[in-house]
Amino acid sequence: MQGGNLAARILSIIFLIFITSLPALAQTGKITGRVVDESNHAITGASIKVAGSTAGTVTDVDGHFTLNISAKDSVTIEVSAVGFTAKTISGIIPGSAEDLNINLTASSNDLQAVTVKTSARRESTNALISFQKNTNAVAQVISAEAIRRSPDKNTGEALKRVTGLSMQEGKYIVVRGLSDRYNQAMLNGVLLSSTEPDRKTFSFDIFPSSIVENIIVNKTFIPEYSAEWAGGLIQVNTKDIPSRNFMNVQVGTNFNTNTIGKDFYIYKGGKLDWLGIDDGTRALPGNFPTKNQFSVLGSSEKTQLGTPVASGSWAPEKKGSFLPTLGQTFQFNSGFASKVLKDKDLGGVISVTYNRSLKNLDYNNSFYNIDGTKADPSFRYHNNRYSNDVLWGALANFSLRLNSNHKISFRNIINTNSSDYTTLRTGKDFESNAQTGENIKAYEYAFRNNTFFNTQLSGEHNIPSLKSKINWFGSFTILDQYLPKQRRLQYNQAAGDDTAPYLALLSNTLSQKTGSIFYSDLNDYIYNAGGDITTSFNLFGQKQTVKGGYNFQVKDRIYDARPFSVTLPSDNPGLKALDPSQIFNASNFGDGSNQLHFDEIPGIYYRYIANSILNAGYIQFDNAFTDWLRIVWGARYEYFDQLVGSVYKSDPRFNWQKKGDLLPALNITFKLNNRTNLRIAGSQTIVRPEFRELTGTAFYDFEVGATIIGNPNLVRTKITNADIRYEVYSRPGELFTLGAFYKYFQSPIELAFNQTGAGGSSTFNYLDNNNSKAQTFGGEIEFRKKLDFWPAFERFTVQGNFSYIYNRVKFQEQSLNRPMQGQSPYLINAALQYDVQEIGLSTTMLFNQIGRRILYVGNEQVPAIWEAPRPLLDLQIAKKLMHNKSELKLNIANLINKRANFYHDLDGNKVYNKGADALAISRNYGTNVSLSFSYNIK
């Protein structure tokens, strides 16, 4: 189990790429941009000319162009294409930081030559609004210019600005109040897997905003994209051939108010912990027996082999209180664009990011025996989770443009996300003494490393003679999770005697709760390939498009866990009274019944394999019947073949499911006038369970104090979607939308609390969902308005959105009068921006709040655990310096810092009441403060 080695090897490769990219950086004067039509389709072969000179070029297969000129002053360009109204754009400064995004409108047959005149700044602003207005689905768009002018440092932060979206933990997306399992991510048109092996989600903080071309959030389904989502499809498109050579670097620091100036606890780790990589310090010895080999050994041999693994100090170490608790950030970005083989355009983007932060999650957790409105605690704990979190990533994208009709791209990204944490726990256990309870002290030490790697090779080809375009791609993804030497230890004090010694909770029973040493290694390998062909023709005097494509995906998983436990066959109070720094000394292990023994918890579910194969094909029509009616319709067929657990039918882990789904989609756009759209959409989509959700693997979660177990009976969720939205684009940079939506969920997947789990411990189980249903009705409103109608507020922009959702679940035709797990009844986002371009000052205040939602589903004995609403307020201030070559940025997240409360609603009034409701979990995340400085070298 050496999962960290993968990250180390790939880091070495990225370093070499970084070094070799440096000589290519040289500044040149260029004009770059992209030309699209009214349907956001790229216009290939459009002519770009500089007025008053012979300089000119044409757009390539995806509408991009690069024009090299020597002029230093602003110039005017003329853009034209057959069948489109020409456009003249003035005020363009060669070599400026902004790309031009140009929209051409189709020319009418009865018009003479017409030229539209505009400015460069106005054209780029119009292009963003035009892209969203003319997209083929209900969607929101964030452009590279909007990201660059904002204080957002990654895509996760940028997505907070989208209607109906909110963030969890700064990286997980919630769309229309639906939990993150109902969303899907794509990178450069290729479907991505979850970045978390045990959670159906995607961590959007892995993409630095500086390398993003645009982000598109689809809220209605169209057949050309994956159908495995219900909330939103988030498409991240990165830059490939940059508009110009560039290089910039950013450094910074950060802290959390729960850690700065306070004690911070750690345990002894490895030399590469600062990189989020275990150097082998925590690994099992290289000659350690396999699970089968170990199981046949005698007790003495097991203890002899296990003593080096378990022995040593299990006591926390205290660090200093100021400088050691400061985090660090670093980001390097570079890009180059050059000519190779005489006239071929070669471009690349290199990006390296590093972020280290130290946090103290202060939280309480309790379980109860509940009878009506009376709640008697089973335990009540107070915890401090001290974590050293490291997130680093690298991106290397290269594109070769053979000519204006053909382009090959090679894109690579790696991300390592690790958390090295120490949890200290105090509190009471009431299971053995319901009256006074026993005081407890407990410790958990763990290192969790997730490594995500994706490489893509793709091609775009335009065939003018056939009026067709062909795209193809191949992709390989690795997702590794490595959890070496997770340790847990608990001490109990006799009830009613505060002077009694704390004794280690060790006995002759194998346990994951105390005396536990846990190793696990999870490896996912995902292979994607596919292609599509698009053909255009004229009908009804309008341009029509037909697109067909195929996608093939194979996903393989190997999961292997080694749960070890230290036991004490016979009671030894003197040994159990030793503190954590001494109790596991090597001399305390041996063959005697009053000495410590070492063994492995048996069970076939601690190891499993899984494989899935997805075959998907689609056909999609984009029909413009008149100037005011556009219909995008078609269907996608997905055949999913999944094997989980074992390849042998006789094995109880064996779980084989095959299912085909025909998923139709219809998106109708009525263009009421040049500034107003009415959209109507209907579709069917699906959401499948993750591998781990289908296995019987039991994992004890120290934070919640219970065991989480999968369910092999889960089936995929099928969702029927309907949307209607009215859009008004009154002026550049402003919009108003009003929409409503409906969703019907067949077999939603939910996690429920079960207080009568195996061995008397509490468990969380996925409910059988074959006979469950849910419905969602919702409405949303969005606005973005400049306040320049009043001189005192002309530099302010206000934007916001509000979503209301009504959702109810039925099981076997019986209404449960509750929403689905993770579904919020409302969502509020608001932002106030203050921008003074003359001095390079940008300030943004962001507010977010979601309505109460179910964290864990309850049952007849124990009611559900609800998450109470909590307001979030973020402040971001950025100031450009040194003639706009550098920038100083201050971010303050979670200014209000209200505790996150999760509770049993015993009085049924839908509001958390401290005296009446049973508080299950209460967390204090603290306020995060970061300061960074960036400099544009070239």
Side-chain angles (χ1 to χ4, degrees):
M1 293 188 178
Q2 298 288 340
N5 290 340
L6 171 67
R9 290 194 298 269
I10 300 180
L11 180 62
S12 301
I13 296 173
I14 295 297
F15 178 75
L16 291 175
I17 294 175
F18 159 65
I19 293 297
T20 56
S21 72
L22 295 181
L25 296 168
Q27 184 68 33
T28 58
K30 297 180 180 179
I31 300 173
T32 60
R34 187 171 188 247
V35 182
V36 298
D37 63 16
E38 293 174 289
S39 298
N40 292 329
H41 296 142
I43 299 178
T44 302
S47 172
I48 316 294
K49 294 182 179 180
V50 177
S53 76
T54 59
T57 188
V58 294
T59 56
D60 64 14
V61 62
D62 52 4
H64 286 105
F65 67 88
T66 299
L67 187 59
N68 295 291
I69 59 174
S70 58
K72 296 183 179 179
D73 299 326
S74 64
V75 299
T76 298
I77 65 170
E78 299 168 350
V79 184
S80 61
V82 176
F84 294 89
T85 301
K87 182 173 286 188
T88 298
I89 305 171
S90 60
I92 301 172
I93 301 176
S96 66
E98 296 183 1
D99 290 349
L100 287 173
N101 295 295
I102 303 169
N103 287 91
L104 297 184
T105 58
S107 59
S108 301
N109 294 331
D110 57 348
L111 292 180
Q112 300 297 318
V114 175
T115 300
V116 177
K117 296 183 179 181
T118 183
S119 67
R121 178 176 297 276
R122 183 178 177 185
E123 182 61 26
S124 290
T125 304
N126 280 335
L128 171 63
I129 299 297
S130 180
F131 189 97
Q132 181 166 320
K133 181 176 70 174
N134 297 323
T135 189
N136 56 5
V138 175
Q140 266 78 39
V141 182
I142 306 175
S143 70
E145 179 185 3
I147 295 173
R148 182 171 57 247
R149 288 174 53 82
S150 76
D152 302 328
K153 62 179 180 294
N154 59 56
T155 58
E157 293 180 352
L159 283 166
K160 288 193 293 188
R161 304 178 185 275
V162 176
T163 308
L165 267 69
S166 63
M167 301 297 298
Q168 286 182 324
E169 303 174 33
K171 52 188 176 182
Y172 303 128
I173 293 290
V174 174
V175 181
R176 288 177 164 176
L178 289 169
S179 65
D180 50 352
R181 73 168 299 109
Y182 290 101
N183 304 315
Q184 184 63 271
M186 297 185 72
L187 178 64
N188 299 314
V190 175
L191 184 66
L192 292 176
S193 177
S194 171
T195 53
E196 309 294 328
D198 54 358
R199 179 174 180 175
K200 189 175 180 64
T201 190
F202 192 87
S203 175
F204 284 93
D205 62 346
I206 69 175
F207 300 125
S209 58
S210 57
I211 54 88
V212 174
E213 179 73 22
N214 59 54
I215 306 171
I216 303 172
V217 182
N218 281 50
K219 294 183 179 178
T220 58
F221 167 62
I222 53 176
E224 64 180 286
Y225 298 130
S226 167
E228 195 175 356
W229 59 279
L233 175 68
I234 296 95
Q235 304 176 62
V236 179
N237 299 303
T238 60
K239 297 176 180 178
D240 48 9
I241 298 182
S243 53
R244 60 198 53 79
N245 300 332
F246 68 90
M247 179 190 292
N248 58 65
V249 64
Q250 175 181 298
V251 294
T253 187
N254 60 76
F255 66 86
N256 183 279
T257 55
N258 284 357
T259 61
I260 194 73
K262 301 174 183 177
D263 292 337
F264 193 88
Y265 291 87
I266 62 170
Y267 67 95
K268 186 177 181 180
K271 295 180 180 179
L272 296 180
D273 287 0
W274 65 277
L275 271 178
I277 300 172
D278 178 56
D279 62 359
T281 298
R282 303 170 180 86
L284 283 170
N287 60 347
F288 200 87
T290 65
K291 184 184 295 287
N292 290 336
Q293 291 171 341
F294 190 82
S295 65
V296 299
L297 298 177
S299 175
S300 177
E301 292 176 290
K302 291 180 179 179
T303 301
Q304 185 177 1
L305 286 167
T307 298
V309 176
S311 62
S313 175
W314 284 38
E317 300 176 10
K318 185 168 70 173
K319 294 185 66 174
S321 59
F322 187 75
L323 287 179
T325 58
L326 289 176
Q328 304 87 37
T329 60
F330 171 80
Q331 185 176 119
F332 171 85
N333 301 298
S334 70
F336 68 91
S338 60
K339 293 285 186 179
V340 296
L341 303 176
K342 294 184 179 180
D343 60 348
K344 312 300 188 232
D345 292 317
L346 175 67
V349 174
I350 309 292
S351 177
V352 179
T353 64
Y354 175 84
N355 184 290
R356 175 178 174 265
S357 58
L358 291 91
K359 299 176 182 178
N360 172 15
L361 176 61
D362 180 351
Y363 69 97
N364 303 317
N365 62 316
S366 305
F367 277 172
Y368 300 89
N369 294 308
I370 296 177
D371 183 10
T373 59
K374 182 182 178 183
D376 295 320
S378 298
F379 64 75
R380 184 177 288 139
Y381 299 149
H382 173 75
N383 313 266
N384 288 98
R385 186 178 188 267
Y386 302 92
S387 63
N388 181 359
D389 298 335
V390 174
L391 170 67
W392 69 260
L395 177 143
N397 287 354
F398 306 96
S399 288
L400 177 64
R401 189 176 294 145
L402 303 176
N403 54 45
S404 62
N405 290 318
H406 303 281
K407 186 178 75 171
I408 306 295
S409 298
F410 181 49
R411 301 179 175 98
N412 307 272
I413 187 169
I414 180 176
N415 168 67
T416 285
N417 192 346
S418 73
S419 183
D420 186 14
Y421 59 90
T422 297
T423 303
L424 307 184
R425 169 174 291 173
T426 59
K428 283 184 177 289
D429 267 342
F430 295 89
E431 294 181 356
S432 60
N433 189 314
Q435 299 300 317
T436 60
E438 295 181 338
N439 292 326
I440 70 104
K441 293 190 299 185
Y443 310 85
E444 182 187 39
Y445 310 100
F447 177 90
R448 182 187 298 267
N449 170 273
N450 286 351
T451 300
F452 173 83
F453 172 73
N454 174 262
T455 182
Q456 302 176 18
L457 182 65
S458 62
E460 303 173 36
H461 309 279
N462 181 47
I463 307 175
S465 61
L466 300 178
K467 295 183 178 180
S468 299
K469 293 183 178 180
I470 297 175
N471 299 318
W472 57 267
F473 68 88
S475 172
F476 174 61
T477 301
I478 299 174
L479 174 60
D480 283 352
Q481 184 185 80
Y482 183 46
L483 184 63
K485 204 171 186 176
Q486 180 187 58
R487 296 175 293 163
R488 294 166 176 155
L489 177 62
Q490 180 171 318
Y491 286 79
N492 284 31
Q493 185 183 53
D497 185 1
D498 291 340
T499 63
Y502 280 86
L503 301 180
L505 192 63
L506 297 174
S507 67
N508 60 354
T509 302
L510 299 174
S511 171
Q512 282 195 51
K513 182 177 181 179
T514 181
S516 168
I517 307 169
F518 186 85
Y519 291 81
S520 72
D521 208 348
L522 185 149
N523 310 108
D524 278 355
Y525 304 95
I526 303 115
Y527 311 84
N528 276 288
D532 60 69
I533 182 169
T534 303
T535 300
S536 300
F537 59 94
N538 290 321
L539 187 65
F540 312 120
Q542 304 288 332
K543 182 181 178 181
Q544 317 294 327
T545 301
V546 179
K547 187 174 187 177
Y550 169 75
N551 182 55
F552 176 72
Q553 182 190 77
V554 175
K555 181 176 179 179
D556 292 319
R557 169 174 291 185
I558 301 174
Y559 175 76
D560 187 20
R562 304 292 301 270
F564 300 105
S565 180
V566 177
T567 62
L568 186 62
S570 297
D571 195 22
N572 186 340
L575 177 60
K576 293 197 295 184
L578 294 176
D579 66 42
S581 66
Q582 298 176 308
I583 190 171
F584 292 124
N585 286 344
S587 59
N588 294 329
F589 288 82
D591 298 335
S593 62
N594 62 348
Q595 290 183 293
L596 300 175
H597 289 214
F598 182 91
D599 204 348
E600 183 169 6
I601 300 175
I604 60 174
Y605 289 103
Y606 291 111
R607 177 180 174 85
Y608 69 87
I609 63 169
N611 168 268
S612 67
I613 301 175
L614 173 67
N615 284 276
Y618 69 88
I619 186 168
Q620 178 177 296
F621 301 89
D622 189 344
N623 299 131
F625 293 101
T626 68
D627 291 337
W628 52 267
L629 176 61
R630 180 186 182 189
I631 301 178
V632 179
W633 60 285
R636 183 182 183 92
Y637 181 77
E638 295 194 355
Y639 186 80
F640 192 69
D641 186 335
Q642 181 171 259
L643 176 68
V644 179
S646 171
V647 297
Y648 301 106
K649 292 183 178 180
S650 59
D651 193 317
R653 295 171 295 180
F654 178 82
N655 187 317
W656 186 22
Q657 298 179 5
K658 295 187 292 183
K659 186 70 176 179
D661 290 287
L662 181 63
L663 304 162
L666 175 67
N667 287 264
I668 305 174
T669 303
F670 298 94
K671 297 183 180 180
L672 305 183
N673 55 51
N674 288 334
R675 296 182 176 180
T676 309
N677 287 336
L678 177 65
R679 298 182 187 271
I680 300 174
S683 65
Q684 285 189 319
T685 56
I686 52 175
V687 174
R688 302 181 180 97
E690 282 291 296
F691 287 144
R692 181 169 285 187
E693 295 171 348
L694 291 167
T695 70
T697 301
F699 178 78
Y700 181 80
D701 191 313
F702 188 82
E703 181 175 343
V704 299
T707 301
I708 299 176
I709 303 176
N711 183 352
N713 298 320
L714 293 178
V715 298
R716 63 100 175 93
T717 305
K718 192 169 188 177
I719 307 101
T720 300
N721 311 277
D723 282 78
I724 182 170
R725 187 165 80 166
Y726 178 74
E727 305 171 345
V728 179
Y729 301 89
S730 55
R731 53 182 283 204
E734 296 186 357
L735 62 84
F736 173 82
T737 68
L738 178 65
F741 58 89
Y742 167 79
K743 295 181 182 295
Y744 176 80
F745 297 81
Q746 178 67 46
S747 307
I749 297 173
E750 300 181 299
L751 189 63
F753 177 60
N754 177 15
Q755 205 160 12
T756 58
S761 63
S762 299
T763 63
F764 290 101
N765 303 80
Y766 288 95
L767 296 174
D768 286 346
N769 66 332
N770 198 32
N771 293 312
S772 60
K773 303 173 184 177
Q775 292 188 85
T776 292
F777 302 86
E780 55 189 13
I781 184 172
E782 177 190 18
F783 66 91
R784 185 187 301 130
K785 178 67 178 175
K786 297 179 180 178
L787 303 183
D788 53 1
F789 55 85
W790 192 359
F793 293 94
E794 64 180 356
R795 300 185 187 276
F796 287 89
T797 299
V798 62
Q799 63 185 33
N801 54 76
F802 173 78
S803 300
Y804 171 79
I805 305 104
Y806 178 82
N807 174 274
R808 284 298 179 268
V809 175
K810 286 187 176 182
F811 183 73
Q812 294 181 342
E813 303 305 321
Q814 178 185 1
S815 177
L816 302 182
N817 194 31
R818 66 163 176 82
M820 289 192 310
Q821 180 189 17
Q823 175 74 72
S824 296
Y826 69 84
L827 171 66
I828 303 171
N829 280 311
L832 180 65
Q833 296 176 330
Y834 177 73
D835 191 5
V836 186
Q837 294 186 26
E838 296 86 347
I839 62 173
L841 177 66
S842 174
T843 304
T844 304
M845 183 81 76
L846 295 171
F847 175 83
N848 167 258
Q849 182 169 309
I850 60 175
R852 76 165 195 158
R853 58 186 177 183
I854 292 177
L855 177 67
Y856 298 117
V857 175
N859 53 42
E860 294 180 357
Q861 289 77 36
V862 181
I865 298 178
W866 294 84
E867 177 183 356
R870 181 171 65 106
L872 297 174
L873 186 65
D874 301 338
L875 174 65
Q876 301 168 324
I877 303 173
K879 177 67 171 70
K880 292 188 179 297
L881 306 168
M882 304 170 66
H883 304 289
N884 293 335
K885 289 183 69 67
S886 65
E887 184 179 53
L888 188 66
K889 187 179 297 184
L890 173 69
N891 292 324
I892 307 176
N894 193 18
L895 268 167
I896 300 174
N897 192 24
K898 183 178 179 181
R899 292 190 75 94
N901 292 324
F902 305 82
Y903 65 100
H904 299 282
D905 189 11
L906 300 184
D907 59 8
N909 68 349
K910 300 182 181 180
V911 177
Y912 171 59
N913 292 324
K914 187 175 181 180
D917 296 325
L919 186 62
I921 304 171
S922 180
R923 296 171 179 158
N924 176 16
Y925 292 100
T927 298
N928 294 310
V929 181
S930 66
L931 183 67
S932 64
F933 176 80
S934 61
Y935 182 75
N936 294 320
I937 300 173
K938 291 185 179 182

